[in-house]
Amino acid sequence: MEPPVGFLATLWNFICFLPYFLGLLLLGIIKGAIFCPLICLIITIGNSAVILGLWPAHCAWTYYCIVRANKLGPILKLVLCICVLPALLLLWPLVGIAGSVIGGAAYGFLSPIFATFDAVGEGKSNTFSHCVYDGTWSTVKGSFTTVRDVRDVLFHSYFSIMDDLREKGPPDGKYYEIRLILLHKALIAGVLGVIVDVLMISLIALYKSPYMLFKGWHRLFHDLIGREGPFLETICVPFAGLAILLWPLAVGGSVLGSAAASIFLGAYAGIIAYQESSLRFGLNYIIASLSIYDEYSNDVLDMREGSCFPRPRYQRNMDDPSLAGSYATSKPGSFKNPPSRTSSLNGQMIDLSPLDMLHNLFQESLLRGETLISKGLITSKDIEEAKSAKGSTVISTGLPAHCLLQALIRSANANSQGILLADNRELTSTNRPKDTFYDWFLNPFLIMKDQIKAENLSEAEEDYLGKLVLLCGDPARLKETNIGTPPESERRQAELGALARRLQGITKSMSRYPTFRRHFEDLVKNLSEDLAKKNGGSTRNGSQPFQRSQSAFARMFSQKSFKRKTSNNASDDQESENMRDVEIA
């Protein structure tokens, strides 16, 4: 649908749109008001039960891992155990429960509203029933899923991270230590930094919030009248109208976010004072941090360059000190010359959230796992271990890493600039979504893709590397399985082995991401059913139920838990059911 041309046509279109938008908004608010108390209650009770139930285990296990950590020195351990851990462990239940209440209320109220507007999207029949029903039962199910994901993070991800802290040795044979003689300077600078930055940055944010509010409204109303920006497509008009109403909430959230971030920004003064062995440098940083925030907020709001605060030198190795107090960093080109809407539409980013990325990864893991089962590389023992508390690194990290390797090989063979996804979309550093998830993992994958391309692997070497990635996390399985003939060159063997270990390490880091465990349990269940079909055994309805991991307390005091490999997660519920028609050869 083309945007209207002319003032009268635009005005008439706005008049016709207004009651339609207000009706959807009213219906969404009614549904949100009905379901908000229930959703808030479910998330609050569920998360609080998980947090409080695991809190004694978290306390004991945190102290145990800190005391046994090889990379921490004795004085640092003493300071952490006496000064830091008690405050963190006492604050965690309060912060977690408060966040559950606020997050549950926001999710229960806003999710039905967004679902109501989404119900009028293109390609949906019986729009009225969708407007009434969408966002009701799905929000209830989403609340239970949220509690489940919180449980997985607090149980599996937490223990996996702490196991790494306890087991990994110090880098370069030198453990981290703290100098007590500088501790009082760091504490003074940190406390002063928090006090000053929280007060001043909050005032700066409040001072600039009216400008942000009216400038945002001006831009949104300008786009609404001219049918540009978020109002260009008809399907986006209801959401863009909702953005106008919710913009004050975004402004308020930015103010609160600035106040929260100022705590860490100010506390960093203690680190500066410790690193530079000087209280003066820590105090200089407190003043400089105000200038840094002021300049950053001016850039975001496209205000006048520079800052009214000085920027004194707070590190000995800083560049030209004459730049202190001035705007040393030139304004980025993205602020000087904002991109046109036409160019932004032509170079659209890939719409792929981290959760969608994990879901697609486990869909491919399911298909790849079925093939590996037929080849005998994944056995019933691997699946049973994945179901138990012992875990199976072959399925938890080996299978997802194997799928990622195939994507890297596919991208390298196609001479792609980025990563070729299963649907032939290309994910590059320029069109990737602006999520921290991609900041962490995309660049390492691009480097490994270039390494694979430089190696110029033969087909036999690709098959060898794939089996090595799958099994290298389990040395016993790797030793007893024929993975093919290794390369003749010892250097090439070492390079492929390092690549396999690095890919497994990245996959293990991804396994701690929220929702990974839920996807992993579904993957193990589906692979178990496929193996039963292959062996002529039980069908889906007769398959063994999924066994839950042992409790945190039993795990913590079990001798096996000290050497336990954390098993991880895989594939989504409804979509994975549609893939079960794939048969095993």
Side-chain angles (χ1 to χ4, degrees):
M1 180 177 177
E2 293 295 330
V5 179
F7 175 76
L8 293 179
T10 302
L11 181 62
W12 175 250
N13 184 77
F14 175 74
I15 294 174
C16 293
F17 160 76
L18 197 58
Y20 175 70
F21 169 77
L22 293 178
L24 290 176
L25 179 62
L26 180 61
L27 178 60
I29 291 176
I30 292 174
K31 292 195 297 183
I34 294 174
F35 282 90
C36 179
L38 175 63
I39 302 304
C40 182
L41 194 64
I42 292 173
I43 293 179
T44 302
I45 293 178
N47 289 352
S48 300
V50 173
I51 291 172
L52 296 178
L54 289 175
W55 186 74
H58 283 171
C59 292
W61 192 252
T62 301
Y63 270 99
Y64 175 81
C65 291
I66 292 294
V67 172
R68 295 293 301 272
N70 295 323
K71 61 174 60 177
L72 304 180
I75 300 179
L76 180 57
K77 291 179 181 179
L78 185 64
V79 173
L80 289 175
C81 292
I82 295 178
C83 302
V84 179
L85 291 183
L88 293 179
L89 293 173
L90 289 176
L91 287 176
W92 159 237
L94 301 178
V95 174
I97 294 174
S100 299
V101 174
I102 298 173
Y107 176 71
F109 183 73
L110 295 177
S111 179
I113 295 179
F114 284 111
T116 303
F117 281 93
D118 189 51
V120 299
E122 296 177 354
K124 290 188 177 181
S125 58
N126 200 357
T127 304
F128 178 76
S129 62
H130 277 289
C131 289
V132 175
Y133 176 77
D134 287 2
T136 54
W137 179 240
S138 63
T139 304
V140 175
K141 291 194 297 183
S143 64
F144 285 104
T145 302
T146 301
V147 174
R148 178 182 178 182
D149 289 340
V150 170
R151 180 209 65 182
D152 291 337
V153 170
L154 295 183
F155 188 83
H156 300 283
S157 301
Y158 165 80
F159 284 109
S160 175
I161 294 172
M162 298 307 295
D163 285 345
D164 279 353
L165 174 65
R166 177 174 53 86
E167 295 171 357
K168 286 186 176 180
D172 301 328
K174 297 180 180 180
Y175 52 74
Y176 298 106
E177 192 53 280
I178 190 171
R179 293 170 289 175
L180 289 178
I181 194 174
L182 300 175
L183 193 58
H184 69 286
K185 297 180 180 179
L187 289 176
I188 294 174
V191 171
L192 290 178
V194 170
I195 295 174
V196 173
D197 279 13
V198 168
L199 176 61
M200 294 301 299
I201 289 180
S202 299
L203 292 177
I204 295 172
L206 285 173
Y207 175 76
K208 295 183 179 181
S209 60
Y211 181 84
M212 179 180 179
L213 176 66
F214 289 107
K215 182 171 183 177
W217 269 343
H218 176 268
R219 180 63 176 269
L220 289 172
F221 276 111
H222 179 271
D223 290 343
L224 173 63
I225 295 174
R227 288 299 300 275
E228 297 177 326
F231 297 87
L232 180 62
E233 299 293 336
T234 303
I235 185 60
C236 299
V237 170
F239 288 102
L242 188 62
I244 294 177
L245 295 181
L246 297 181
W247 183 246
L249 294 180
V251 175
S254 67
V255 173
L256 294 178
S258 297
S262 65
I263 299 175
F264 304 98
L265 190 65
Y268 191 72
I271 299 178
I272 294 294
Y274 180 85
Q275 290 177 340
E276 302 298 329
S277 303
S278 172
L279 178 61
R280 181 173 63 87
F281 279 106
L283 299 179
N284 287 349
Y285 170 80
I286 296 175
I287 301 174
S289 63
L290 301 179
S291 174
I292 294 172
Y293 174 81
D294 191 27
E295 292 174 359
Y296 174 77
S297 59
N298 287 343
D299 283 346
V300 172
L301 298 176
D302 201 17
M303 298 175 67
R304 180 181 59 85
E305 295 183 358
S307 172
C308 61
F309 296 98
R311 182 182 290 187
R313 182 173 183 170
Y314 56 88
Q315 285 180 321
R316 290 186 173 88
N317 59 349
M318 286 183 68
D319 294 333
D320 187 3
S322 63
L323 295 176
S326 64
Y327 188 48
T329 306
S330 61
K331 197 170 186 180
S334 59
F335 294 109
K336 291 179 179 178
N337 300 310
S340 64
R341 295 185 180 92
T342 304
S343 62
S344 64
L345 291 174
N346 293 334
Q348 289 181 346
M349 296 180 184
I350 290 183
D351 184 15
L352 189 66
S353 69
L355 300 183
D356 294 334
M357 184 73 173
L358 288 178
H359 173 66
N360 294 339
L361 171 62
F362 282 105
Q363 279 188 328
E364 190 171 348
S365 297
L366 178 59
L367 297 176
R368 186 72 59 177
E370 292 169 343
T371 303
L372 296 175
I373 286 175
S374 65
K375 294 180 179 180
L377 290 174
I378 293 180
T379 63
S380 58
K381 180 182 178 182
D382 296 325
I383 296 177
E384 292 303 319
E385 287 181 352
K387 291 180 180 180
S388 67
K390 180 181 179 181
S392 170
T393 56
V394 175
I395 297 180
S396 62
T397 55
L399 181 55
H402 181 82
C403 296
L404 292 172
L405 174 66
Q406 300 307 313
L408 295 177
I409 294 176
R410 181 172 62 246
S411 304
N413 292 338
N415 200 23
S416 170
Q417 296 295 324
I419 305 297
L420 281 180
L421 305 179
D423 55 3
N424 291 326
R425 289 186 296 173
E426 186 179 22
L427 182 65
T428 66
S429 57
T430 56
N431 71 348
R432 67 173 180 81
K434 301 302 181 183
D435 289 286
T436 307
F437 178 86
Y438 294 98
D439 293 335
W440 291 342
F441 298 111
L442 181 59
N443 287 336
F445 284 138
L446 291 176
I447 294 174
M448 285 189 288
K449 186 261 297 181
D450 292 336
Q451 291 175 343
I452 292 174
K453 183 178 178 180
E455 292 288 345
N456 194 19
L457 302 177
S458 64
E459 186 174 344
E461 288 175 332
E462 290 179 0
D463 183 67
Y464 170 82
L465 180 59
K467 294 177 181 178
L468 183 62
V469 168
L470 178 69
L471 302 175
C472 71
D474 190 342
R477 279 291 313 279
L478 181 63
K479 186 176 182 180
E480 66 187 20
T481 304
N482 180 19
I483 63 173
T485 304
E488 295 181 359
S489 171
E490 294 184 358
R491 177 182 177 182
R492 199 170 182 84
Q493 288 186 38
E495 290 174 348
L496 296 183
L499 185 63
R501 290 189 297 272
R502 187 180 183 193
L503 193 55
Q504 277 238 354
I506 293 177
T507 307
K508 186 176 181 180
S509 299
M510 293 175 62
S511 69
R512 297 160 182 164
Y513 199 81
T515 76
F516 194 102
R517 181 71 190 181
R518 171 162 49 90
H519 287 82
F520 173 73
E521 291 178 354
D522 294 336
L523 173 64
V524 173
K525 179 181 177 182
N526 292 330
L527 290 179
S528 178
E529 294 168 358
D530 289 336
L531 185 63
K533 286 182 181 180
K534 177 191 174 186
N535 296 333
S538 58
T539 60
R540 180 191 305 269
N541 295 331
S543 61
Q544 296 180 358
F546 190 88
Q547 301 176 12
R548 296 292 177 186
S549 300
Q550 65 188 108
S551 67
F553 300 99
R555 180 183 182 277
M556 185 176 65
F557 292 108
S558 170
Q559 292 296 326
K560 293 182 179 180
S561 68
F562 295 155
K563 299 181 180 179
R564 179 179 177 271
K565 302 289 186 180
T566 304
S567 61
N568 305 315
N569 330 28
S571 144
D572 225 14
D573 300 333
Q574 188 172 1
E575 288 84 349
S576 62
E577 292 293 328
N578 299 330
M579 304 174 62
R580 308 310 311 137
D581 296 333
V582 180
E583 296 293 337
I584 303 299

